Each structure stands twice: as structure tokens, then as C-alpha cells.
């Protein structure tokens, strides 16, 4: 654990019992996020990234491993810890339609958490709601309106205002733009970047779109079948991915320059992601990796730092990347 870490995960796993079988959604994941940093978490749908987001938020209790917040172990069984953490950490969900109560005015939705946590008196809370609406680019007069009166982008702004009402230090954004029209996605991303900088928020940004994750994040972590495959500085992972899975994901990202796009070698991933109920022995990616060898099917590779701050889990990272 790095001393300056805001959040540290140590070998965190999350299993679910599905009709008597164990589904390994998250498998021994460790990483740190420093104060004010944005870590982008990417991977195909079903790779466990949203489950990990919920574990980090305290929604799910980890099956194994430990989570530390500012050096203190998080114990979500402890009611006091849970209540305190619920204020520090806030989540922004994918679907702004489902995450707002249709029967509550947006002013009441934004103010609800402040009331539960006894923040401010009623008059001051009303002022805070007005301030927050303006902070997220909405008219303060909207406080008395209901969610159905707003577009998807406006609703996501409202959920961001609701999260900020708690004066959080940590935001988990779970695919916050994937349900929105492409035309307004960049407005929400830029709003999140502005707020993160202005409020020095620590963020875990979960998405499947590598371009967006690269744009918003200081570091990128790549997940596959519940496992962490690669983690490093955002530019470094985006431009010099080391793991064959990350390389395949990146090869699918379109390049704006049509000449470069034509020259690009796309790596087509064969086969399907194995079921997390029957996780294969060895490297979880072995069944789809064009470099797989016998060792890959026997031994699980550890996540090892191979360049400064850039770690990957692959037995043959040097050979694949042509290092001597
Ligand atoms: Fe491919 Fe083997 Fe590396 Fe896994 S360990 S990514 S199967 S080369």
C-alpha cells in the first residue's frame, strides 16, 4: 500500500453463489488510487468491473481481501463506518432514468442525502440545492420540477448534483455516459473532468470505451474475467499496452486519420469469454490468446511491474513485446 493512497485494494475478491455454483466476479484484485487521481477501469461487459465498483462503494461485501480508505480498513459490517463512508463515497450510475425517484422533485432528491446526514438546516439545504444545480449547469429554478421533465443528459447532471451534495471525496462513475446520446456524452465527460479538478475528487471511472477512459483518467486498469490484466499511466497503457488482451482492445479503437486507420493491424479476438463459473486454470485469457503456450494453461500469471508504474499479468510479456 502506498502511503499517499486514498483507496487501497488488497487481493479483493467477490464471489456469488448461483444455484449452488460459485461465480467468481472479481478475483484477487489489488490497486491503489491516490488522492485527486482518476483511475479508469476498462474491460468488456461482464468482466466484473461494475461488481468491483460496487464492492469499492460498500454495496457488496468482498468475499476475500481488504479495502483501505485513507489508510483505515473499511469495515462495512460496522454501521458507523458504513454511514461515514456513505458520505465520503458517492456513485454515479449508468442509467439516469432509473436512478432518480420519479415521485420526488429533483430538489428533494438532491437534498435527501443532506437531510439524512443532518447537513445544514432546511433553509441552507435549499440554498445548497440551488448552488448545486448551477454547478452542474442547470437553472436553479428547476428544483421544483420532476425527473420526467428532463432529458437524459439533464438527468445525469441532476444525479451528479445529488452526489456532490454529500461533499464527497471519492466518486465511482459506472459507465456514466453509455446510456446518453453521443451528442451530449462529451458535455457530461467535460463536466466530470471540471468538477474532479475543482473539488480535487478521487475517482474510479468505469467504462468499456478505451478512448473515453484515456481522455478522463490519470491511470488505466484493464480487467478480464474478474482479473486485473494491466495497470499503468493512462498514456503509457493507451499507447504502449503490454498485455495481449489490452492490445486487442486497443486495436479496435478507431483512429481519426484514415491513412493510419487503414494501416492499423486489428487483432480479432477468437472465441468467447469463458464463464466466470468455470474459470480456467492458469491465465484467464489463455483460451483467446494467440501467444498462449502450455505454461499459460497451467500457471496463473501474477501482476508484475515491468516498467515504472506499469504492471501486467502475462508470462511472456517480454517475448510478445520483443524485449531482450
Ligand atoms: Fe497470453 Fe499466456 Fe500471456 Fe496469458 S500468460 S496473456 S495466455 S501469453
Amino acid at each position: 500500500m502506498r502511503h499517499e493512497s486514498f483507496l487501497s485494494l488488497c487481493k479483493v475478491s467477490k464471489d456469488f453463489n448461483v444455484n449452488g455454483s460459485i461465480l467468481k466476479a472479481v478475483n484477487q484484485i489489488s490497486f491503489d488510487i491516490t488522492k485527486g487521481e482518476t483511475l479508469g477501469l476498462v474491460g468488456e461487459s461482464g468482466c466484473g468491473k461494475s461488481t468491483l465498483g460496487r464492492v469499492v462503494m460498500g454495496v457488496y461485501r468482498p468475499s476475500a481481501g481488504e479495502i483501505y480508505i485513507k489508510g483505515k480498513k473499511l469495515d462495512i459490517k460496522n454501521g458507523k463506518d458504513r454511514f461515514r463512508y456513505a458520505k465520503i463515497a458517492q456513485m454515479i450510475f449508468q442509467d439516469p432514468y432509473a436512478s432518480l425517484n420519479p415521485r420526488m422533485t429533483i430538489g428533494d432528491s438532491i437534498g435527501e442525502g443532506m437531510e439524512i446526514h443532518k447537513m445544514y438546516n432546511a433553509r441552507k439545504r435549499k440554498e445548497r440545492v440551488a448552488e448545486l444545480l448551477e454547478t452542474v449547469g442547470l437553472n436553479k429554478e428547476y428544483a421544483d420540477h420532476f425527473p420526467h421533465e428532463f432529458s437524459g443528459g439533464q438527468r445525469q447532471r441532476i444525479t451528479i448534483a445529488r452526489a456532490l451534495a454529500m461533499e464527497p471525496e471519492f466518486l465511482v462513475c459506472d459507465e456514466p455516459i453509455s446510456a446518453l446520446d453521443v451528442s451530449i456524452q462529451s458535455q457530461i465527460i467535460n463536466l466530470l473532468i471540471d468538477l474532479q479538478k475543482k473539488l480535487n475528487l478521487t475517482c474510479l471511472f468505469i467504462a468499456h470505451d478505451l478512448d473515453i477512459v484515456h481522455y478522463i483518467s490519470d491511470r488505466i486498469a484493464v480487467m478480464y474475467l474478474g482479473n486485473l490484466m494491466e495497470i499503468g499511466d493512462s498514456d503509457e497503457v493507451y499507447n504502449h499496452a503490454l498485455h495481449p488482451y489490452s492490445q486487442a482492445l486497443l486495436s479496435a479503437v478507431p483512429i481519426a486519420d484514415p491513412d493510419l486507420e487503414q494501416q492499423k493491424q486489428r487483432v480479432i479476438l477468437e472465441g468467447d469469454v469463458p464463464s466466470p463459473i468455470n474459470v480456467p486454470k492458469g491465465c484467464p485469457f489463455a483460451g483467446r490468446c494467440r501467444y498462449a503456450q502450455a505454461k499459460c494453461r497451467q500457471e496463473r500469471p501474477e501482476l508484475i511491474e515491468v516498467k515504472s508504474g506499469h504492471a501486467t499479468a502475462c508470462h511472456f510479456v517480454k517475448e510478445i513485446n520483443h524485449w531482450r
Side-chain angles (χ1 to χ4, degrees):
M1 187 179 74
R2 295 189 311 216
H3 288 302
E4 73 276 25
S5 294
F6 178 85
L7 172 86
S8 288
L9 268 64
C10 302
K11 298 200 168 186
V12 168
S13 298
K14 179 65 193 169
D15 303 337
F16 294 100
N17 189 327
V18 182
N19 302 326
S21 302
I22 299 300
L23 184 152
K24 288 198 155 303
V26 172
N27 193 17
Q28 296 199 22
I29 290 207
S30 301
F31 60 67
D32 296 345
I33 310 182
T34 54
K35 174 80 186 149
E37 182 184 41
T38 298
L39 177 72
L41 188 59
V42 282
E44 292 164 291
S45 64
C47 71
K49 56 191 191 303
S50 290
T51 302
L52 184 59
R54 280 163 175 73
V55 170
V56 163
M57 279 299 299
V59 177
Y60 296 148
R61 197 185 305 167
S63 310
E66 285 149 6
I67 298 173
Y68 294 86
I69 303 292
K70 296 193 273 188
K72 187 174 179 293
K73 190 172 163 185
L74 177 68
D75 177 9
I76 59 166
K77 279 189 283 179
N78 177 323
K80 263 194 198 158
D81 258 23
R82 203 185 166 120
F83 190 71
R84 202 172 49 88
Y85 188 53
K87 183 175 177 303
I88 293 173
Q90 290 290 306
M91 191 157 187
I92 295 166
F93 296 92
Q94 177 176 359
D95 186 353
Y97 292 87
S99 56
L100 287 169
N101 184 337
R103 290 190 199 88
M104 281 172 85
T105 65
I106 63 158
D108 285 346
S109 280
I110 295 169
E112 189 183 26
M114 288 192 275
E115 201 175 337
I116 292 169
H117 284 263
K118 301 191 178 18
M119 294 164 72
Y120 312 119
N121 60 30
R123 188 182 53 81
K124 177 69 183 159
R125 277 201 298 272
K126 217 172 163 186
E127 283 170 20
R128 278 289 291 148
V129 168
E131 269 170 33
L132 287 159
L133 282 170
E134 288 183 335
T135 301
V136 298
L138 293 172
N139 190 321
K140 63 182 178 185
E141 309 301 329
Y142 289 165
D144 294 330
H145 292 230
F146 286 88
H148 71 267
E149 298 173 64
F150 297 92
S151 67
Q154 287 174 320
R155 286 183 202 210
Q156 201 56 303
R157 287 177 191 270
I158 296 162
T159 65
I160 294 168
R162 184 179 59 184
L164 296 182
M166 305 306 294
E167 297 165 18
E169 296 178 57
F170 179 45
L171 270 190
V172 175
C173 305
D174 185 7
E175 304 261 14
I177 58 161
S178 52
L180 305 178
D181 283 353
V182 174
S183 57
I184 48 163
Q185 287 183 347
S186 58
Q187 292 173 19
I188 299 297
I189 288 292
N190 288 330
L191 174 66
L192 286 169
I193 292 173
D194 286 351
L195 293 170
Q196 188 268 334
K197 287 200 180 118
K198 200 163 116 194
L199 304 171
N200 195 27
L201 293 166
T202 306
C203 291
L204 178 65
F205 188 90
I206 301 168
H208 61 271
D209 186 321
L210 256 164
D211 249 349
I212 287 165
V213 167
H214 175 231
Y215 182 63
I216 200 167
S217 308
D218 300 300
R219 285 188 304 142
I220 295 177
V222 181
M223 266 184 90
Y224 181 81
L225 202 61
N227 293 268
L228 197 56
M229 297 308 209
E230 180 157 9
I231 185 165
D233 172 80
S234 178
D235 285 341
E236 175 69 16
V237 172
Y238 192 79
N239 296 314
H240 309 287
L242 299 172
H243 195 281
Y245 177 61
S246 316
Q247 290 169 352
L249 281 186
L250 279 158
S251 80
V253 175
I255 300 174
D257 181 328
D259 292 335
L260 289 177
E261 176 67 23
Q262 227 177 14
Q263 288 164 23
K264 185 180 77 178
Q265 275 203 329
R266 175 125 196 234
V267 182
I268 308 287
L269 283 178
E270 305 280 343
D272 296 321
V273 183
S275 160
I277 291 178
N278 292 310
V279 180
K281 193 177 165 193
C283 174
F285 189 54
R288 301 172 83 193
C289 179
R290 57 188 173 148
Y291 304 106
Q293 300 185 35
K295 182 180 181 182
C296 306
R297 297 189 179 85
Q298 293 302 321
E299 287 175 37
R300 185 182 159 188
E302 294 292 326
L303 190 79
I304 292 171
E305 185 167 331
V306 286
K307 290 184 187 177
S308 173
H310 191 170
T312 190
C314 173
H315 293 306
F316 299 106
V317 62
K318 292 192 176 168
E319 292 81 350
I320 289 166
N321 293 286
H322 308 294
W323 295 343
R324 299 242 158 73

